Amino acid sequence: METKYVFVTGGVTSSLGKGIVSASLGMLLKHRGYKITIQKMDPYFNIDPGTLNPYEHGECFVTSDGAETDLDLGHYERFLDQPTTKDNNVTSGMIYKTVIDNERKGNYLGETVQIIPHITNEIKKRIKKLGKSNDYDIIITEIGGTVGDIEILPYIETVRQLKWELGESNGLVIHLTLLPYISVTGEIKTKPTQHSVRNLMENGIQADILVCRTEKHISKGIRNKLALFCNVKPENVIESINTKVIYDIPCLLHVQNFDKVVLNHLNLPTLITPNLKKWKIFLKKHKNPKCKIKIALVGKYVSLRDSYKSITEALIHAGTENETYVDIKWIYSGMIKEKNIKEYFEGISGILIAPGFGNRGIEGKILAARYARENKIPFLGICLGMQIAVIEFARNVLKIQKAESSETNPKTSHPVISLMKEQKNIMQKGGTMRLGDWKCSLIAKSKIFSIYGKKEIFERHRHRYEFNNAYLESFSNAGMKAVGINPETGLVEAIELDNHVFFLGVQYHPEYNSTVTHPHPLFTYFVQISKNYKSFDSQNYHYV
C-alpha cells in the first residue's frame, strides 16, 4: 500500500506533549496491524542535540545506529517497542547545511537559493525518505515548536505543500492545543485554540483533528463550539486530560476513537481492534505496587528531570516488573560533602550515578560511590557513573590518591580513565563520540552474565573516555573485575565488585533499550536487589 502521512503540530504553548500524543497514536495504530514509524522535525539550527546542555533541551537520546537525537525519540521507542534511526530526527541545522553545501557544489545550476523551494524541498525529501523504504504503512511526523514561532514556518509551509501533493486521504494534520481552565470562573476557554487554528489556516493548513490538552473534562458543548469555530467534526475533537501516568494516554485516546478517526480520514480499514491487554496489565501493576523503595539518582542536571528521562522511565518499567513503586530521590552531586553524606542517603535502598560530562560535581559523585561500596548499598553506575566507581576504587582501595580521569585533568599522573585512542586526533565536538550499538562479551559466572542470560549483548554508547587497561590487573586483584569487554577493541564495558550485594558499572547506556513491554534486565535486577536491601544504621557510619 502507498505510505500515508500524519503531521502533528502544536499550538498555544510549548511542552503540551506532542511527542506523547504521537507515540500513543503510533502504538494504537501498530496494535491495529499497521507498520508505523514516527519522526521528529526540530526547528533549531544545531545539527543535532549532542552539543546542547541538557538544561536547554533535556536528554540527548541515542539511536542504535549512533544518532544523537531529541528525547521524544525515546518516547517513540518506549511506546512502539521498536528502534528508531538517524532518519527519525531532522533539525533545521541539517536542512540548511545540506542546502548550503549543495549550493557550494553547484547543484542548483545557478538558481537563487530560497526558503521556497530549496529549504522546503529538502524538508520534504527528509519526510518522504522513510516512506520510500516501503517498510511503513503510516509515518507520523511531529513538528517541533509552536505554531506562530518564526523558526517553524518552513516546516508549516512544507506540510501545506505535502497535503496538497499527497491528496486528501493520504495525509492529515493533528493539531495539539491547550484549553486553559480559569479557576476563578470555573471556565474552560477555547479562544487560544481558535486563534492557534486560525494561525494555521493563515498559512494554508486546515487542521483535521484537534487534540485538546486540558485539566478538566470537556463537555459536549465545548466540543461543538471548537468544531464550529475550527472547521472540524465534533468527533474529531479529542480530549487529552492531564494524567500523572503518561502510559495512560493511549488508553484515554483510544476510548475516544482517536485511532479510528485517523484511519477513517486516511481511508484505511479499522477491522482489527487494538489488543491492549499487556499494556493494561502493565498499568494495573504500576498503579498497585506491593512495596515502595527509594533510589538515589546522583547527577549534575537534576534540577531538570528531563535530563535523565530515559533513566527515570527505565526505573518505572523495572519497578512495575517488580510490583514496586520506585521513589527517586534527586541529588545534585555538587552538594554532597563528607559532613552531610549520611543525611543525603538516609533510608536509601539503592544508588544510581547518572551519566554526564565535565568536572562539576565529580567529587560528590566519588563520595556517593564510596558510600555505596563501603556500606553494601546496591549500586549502578552508567557511563560516567562507571568511571566514577573506578576512580573511587583506585583512590580508596588501591591507594592511588591522585587517580583521576583525563577528561577532568588532562595532566593527571594516574589516568585510570583515559581518552580513547581513536578520539585523540578528533577536534570537532559534534557527532564524534563513540556512539550507537557496540558488542559486549560478558564474562561467564559473573553477576552481569546471569542477569542478561547470554554471553553476547549489544548496547548503546555515548562517550569519549574509557577504562585505562594499564590498571586492569591491579583492579582485578583487588576485587573490581572487568566483566564486560568489547571483543574488537578490548575496551572495558562493565565492571563488577566482589563481595558486594550489587555493585555494577557499565560504560554503555542500558536505559535507551528499556520499553514498557520489555524492561531492561539491568534495571529490573537493580530494583529487585534494592527491594531486598535492608537499610543500614547510618548513625554508626564513618569514613575509614
Side-chain angles (χ1 to χ4, degrees):
M1 62 175 276
E2 186 178 0
T3 302
K4 311 275 187 173
Y5 293 85
V6 174
F7 303 100
V8 180
T9 61
V12 182
T13 183
S14 60
S15 302
L16 290 181
K18 293 191 300 295
I20 299 296
V21 169
S22 300
S24 298
L25 175 61
M27 188 274 274
L28 292 171
L29 295 178
K30 182 178 179 180
H31 279 78
R32 282 187 178 270
Y34 292 98
K35 294 178 289 184
I36 305 294
T37 193
I38 313 173
Q39 64 181 173
K40 174 75 180 289
M41 315 299 283
D42 277 308
Y44 50 70
F45 278 83
N46 303 70
I47 299 296
D48 58 48
T51 56
L52 282 173
N53 188 309
Y55 287 139
E56 290 282 326
H57 215 65
E59 170 189 80
C60 176
F61 185 83
V62 178
T63 60
S64 59
D65 62 350
E68 294 175 290
T69 69
D70 185 78
L71 65 79
D72 275 331
L73 270 73
H75 291 312
Y76 305 161
E77 292 201 9
R78 288 187 284 271
F79 278 65
L80 289 179
D81 196 25
Q82 69 186 43
T84 54
T85 70
K86 61 183 179 181
D87 294 327
N88 290 80
N89 195 198
V90 177
T91 70
S92 289
M94 293 179 190
I95 299 294
Y96 280 78
K97 185 178 187 301
T98 299
V99 170
I100 291 169
D101 286 347
N102 286 340
E103 187 276 331
R104 291 290 83 188
K105 293 173 185 176
N107 291 354
Y108 300 124
L109 302 175
E111 300 172 17
T112 300
V113 179
Q114 297 176 293
I115 300 295
I116 304 171
H118 300 92
I119 295 297
T120 53
N121 280 351
E122 185 61 31
I123 296 172
K124 213 180 297 183
K125 178 183 173 184
R126 302 289 182 121
I127 290 173
K128 286 186 169 182
K129 185 177 181 181
L130 288 167
K132 287 183 177 179
S133 67
N134 295 317
D135 292 332
Y136 306 108
D137 301 320
I138 302 171
I139 294 173
I140 301 169
T141 301
E142 176 193 347
I143 308 296
T146 306
V147 168
D149 292 347
I150 191 170
E151 59 263 30
I152 74 165
L153 285 175
Y155 295 95
I156 298 299
E157 168 61 18
T158 303
V159 172
R160 183 195 69 79
Q161 293 179 23
L162 277 172
K163 273 207 76 180
W164 180 77
E165 292 172 11
L166 292 168
E168 187 174 348
S169 64
N170 292 322
L172 72 86
V173 174
I174 298 169
H175 192 51
L176 174 63
T177 76
L178 176 68
L179 296 180
Y181 175 72
I182 309 301
S183 59
V184 174
T185 59
E187 290 180 291
I188 291 175
K189 308 303 290 185
T190 65
K191 193 67 70 178
T193 293
Q194 294 178 44
H195 286 177
S196 185
V197 170
R198 187 175 301 164
N199 194 313
L200 264 182
M201 293 176 69
E202 288 172 357
N203 287 283
I205 296 176
Q206 169 63 57
D208 300 296
I209 299 172
L210 292 182
V211 178
C212 303
R213 181 75 181 267
T214 175
E215 59 180 284
K216 301 288 183 180
H217 289 291
I218 58 177
S219 65
K220 183 178 180 180
I222 293 289
R223 287 180 192 270
N224 289 335
K225 184 176 181 180
L226 285 167
L228 175 65
F229 283 98
C230 298
N231 295 336
V232 298
K233 299 175 183 177
E235 60 266 29
N236 288 18
V237 178
I238 307 296
E239 172 190 283
S240 180
I241 196 162
N242 293 354
T243 176
K244 291 181 179 180
V245 182
I246 61 172
Y247 302 113
D248 270 329
I249 294 173
C251 299
L252 295 173
L253 296 176
H254 177 60
V255 296
Q256 300 175 74
N257 294 315
F258 179 43
D259 44 321
K260 189 174 183 179
V261 167
V262 169
L263 291 174
N264 286 340
H265 187 96
L266 295 175
N267 198 24
L268 291 173
T270 58
L271 300 177
I272 300 175
T273 302
N275 183 356
L276 303 179
K277 184 178 179 181
K278 287 184 179 179
W279 197 271
K280 290 178 179 179
I281 289 173
F282 168 86
L283 285 169
K284 184 177 181 181
K285 288 171 66 178
H286 177 63
K287 294 176 181 179
N288 298 279
K290 294 181 179 178
C291 66
K292 174 181 175 180
I293 61 171
K294 186 174 285 189
I295 299 290
L297 193 155
V298 182
K300 181 179 177 181
Y301 309 109
V302 294
S303 59
L304 181 66
R305 295 178 181 182
D306 272 0
S307 300
Y308 304 110
K309 189 62 178 174
S310 290
I311 291 176
T312 57
E313 295 306 311
L315 287 170
I316 288 172
H317 305 156
T320 302
E321 184 73 6
N322 284 284
E323 298 183 276
T324 300
Y325 174 72
V326 179
D327 181 14
I328 299 175
K329 182 175 182 179
W330 300 84
I331 300 176
Y332 168 50
S333 57
M335 298 298 291
I336 300 174
K337 311 293 180 187
E338 287 194 29
K339 62 183 179 182
N340 64 14
I341 194 166
K342 288 190 289 186
E343 177 185 342
Y344 273 112
F345 295 110
E346 182 71 39
I348 292 297
S349 297
I351 295 174
L352 188 154
I353 297 186
F357 299 93
N359 59 7
R360 179 165 60 87
I362 288 291
E363 293 302 321
K365 292 178 182 179
I366 291 171
L367 288 173
R370 182 178 183 181
Y371 198 74
R373 178 179 60 81
E374 294 186 342
N375 292 282
K376 311 294 185 185
I377 303 173
F379 172 89
L380 178 60
I382 298 175
C383 197
L384 177 63
M386 184 200 91
Q387 298 174 6
I388 291 296
V390 167
I391 295 168
E392 186 281 320
F393 193 84
R395 288 184 185 180
N396 298 307
V397 177
L398 300 182
K399 303 304 179 184
I400 307 173
Q401 298 300 326
K402 294 184 178 181
E404 289 186 76
S405 167
S406 58
E407 178 184 10
T408 55
N409 181 7
K411 296 181 180 180
T412 178
S413 56
H414 289 286
V416 291
I417 302 296
S418 60
L419 187 65
M420 288 185 288
K421 183 179 179 180
E422 59 269 29
Q423 291 283 327
K424 290 181 179 178
N425 296 319
I426 292 176
M427 303 304 293
Q428 287 193 334
K429 295 286 187 184
T432 57
M433 286 188 275
R434 185 172 184 246
L435 296 164
D437 270 349
W438 289 83
K439 184 188 284 188
C440 174
S441 297
L442 302 179
I443 304 302
K445 297 184 180 180
S446 63
K447 191 165 289 182
I448 192 171
F449 176 83
S450 67
I451 292 170
Y452 278 93
K454 54 186 176 181
K455 186 177 180 180
E456 302 290 339
I457 61 170
F458 285 87
E459 293 282 4
R460 302 183 199 183
H461 295 68
R462 185 175 184 245
H463 66 105
R464 297 184 194 279
Y465 294 83
E466 61 171 329
F467 181 93
N468 188 340
N469 283 349
Y471 294 88
L472 189 55
E473 185 177 352
S474 297
F475 273 80
S476 183
N477 291 339
M480 181 172 277
K481 305 292 174 59
V483 291
I485 303 290
N486 177 268
E488 286 82 26
T489 63
L491 293 182
V492 173
E493 298 278 6
I495 57 96
E496 200 172 279
L497 195 61
D498 289 341
N499 301 317
H500 194 287
V501 61
F502 181 78
F503 193 101
L504 180 68
V506 291
Q507 186 59 71
Y508 51 82
H509 289 259
E511 69 273 19
Y512 293 148
N513 280 322
S514 184
T515 69
V516 171
T517 51
H518 291 93
H520 196 284
L522 281 188
F523 282 91
T524 301
Y525 188 81
F526 177 53
V527 170
Q528 177 188 328
I529 207 74
S530 298
K531 184 173 69 170
N532 297 331
Y533 172 76
K534 300 298 182 183
S535 184
F536 64 94
D537 181 6
S538 64
Q539 298 298 319
N540 295 325
Y541 174 78
H542 64 280
Y543 276 106
V544 294

